[in-house]
Amino acid sequence: MRSFADKVYSLCRKIPKGKVTTYKEIGKKLGGRGQIYRAVGVALNKNPYSPKVPCHRVVLSNGKVGGFAKGSKKKIALLKKEGVNIKDGKIIDFKKRVFRFVTKK
DNA sequence: ACCATGACGCACA
DNA sequence: ATGTGCGCCATGG
């Protein structure tokens, strides 16, 4: 069922290792409507593909890791393993670590 | 069709 | 810069 959530999973899989993306970017890439990122969070939360989809690479737009079904701590640990430095739940050099699907210039 | 929920984001104080 | 409140979208019951 190619529902909204399904698209979200697909995009998450495209996130390169060591990088992160935001719910907003995903939503924007999908539809670009107002608060779609809300539904994005819901979709990932259901995330039936825990290991297949690197949902832990999806963080808040303000640079915070946000939440995680298994616990934000776990999420942080995973990101750190990927090479993303996190400080008190906040991503360091977040701006540089964010991966944009639009691949802006 | 309506109400409630949720891994968010932004405006405002 | 920090904390609180409100709003919107998709999904499920």
Side-chain angles (χ1 to χ4, degrees):
Chain A
M1 147 193 201
R2 292 143 193 97
S3 45
F4 177 83
D6 202 36
K7 298 179 191 175
V8 178
Y9 306 139
S10 299
L11 286 170
C12 288
R13 266 163 74 219
K14 294 176 190 178
I15 303 172
K17 179 168 161 281
K19 286 250 193 168
V20 294
T21 192
T22 68
Y23 298 92
K24 201 161 120 194
E25 287 297 314
I26 294 174
K28 221 161 185 222
K29 178 64 177 152
L30 289 178
R33 288 169 225 215
Q35 326 292 49
I36 16 92
Y37 41 80
R38 272 293 193 148
V40 175
V42 177
L44 284 175
N45 176 240
K46 288 170 186 182
N47 179 22
Y49 309 92
S50 310
K52 304 182 186 230
V53 178
C55 37
H56 58 267
R57 286 180 194 159
V58 186
V59 298
L60 301 187
S61 61
N62 65 310
K64 284 209 163 174
V65 293
F68 196 55
K70 288 184 130 247
S72 38
K73 299 195 312 244
K74 195 80 178 183
K75 186 171 179 177
I76 294 169
L78 285 164
L79 288 169
K80 280 173 122 182
K81 262 185 187 193
E82 303 260 309
V84 182
N85 295 321
I86 299 175
K87 179 76 183 264
D88 190 46
K90 301 172 295 278
I91 298 175
I92 299 174
D93 294 317
F94 171 65
K95 227 171 134 181
K96 307 199 266 190
R97 288 273 136 97
V98 174
F99 169 74
R100 293 199 177 182
F101 300 99
V102 283
T103 314
K104 59 157 293 210
K105 64 151 176 10

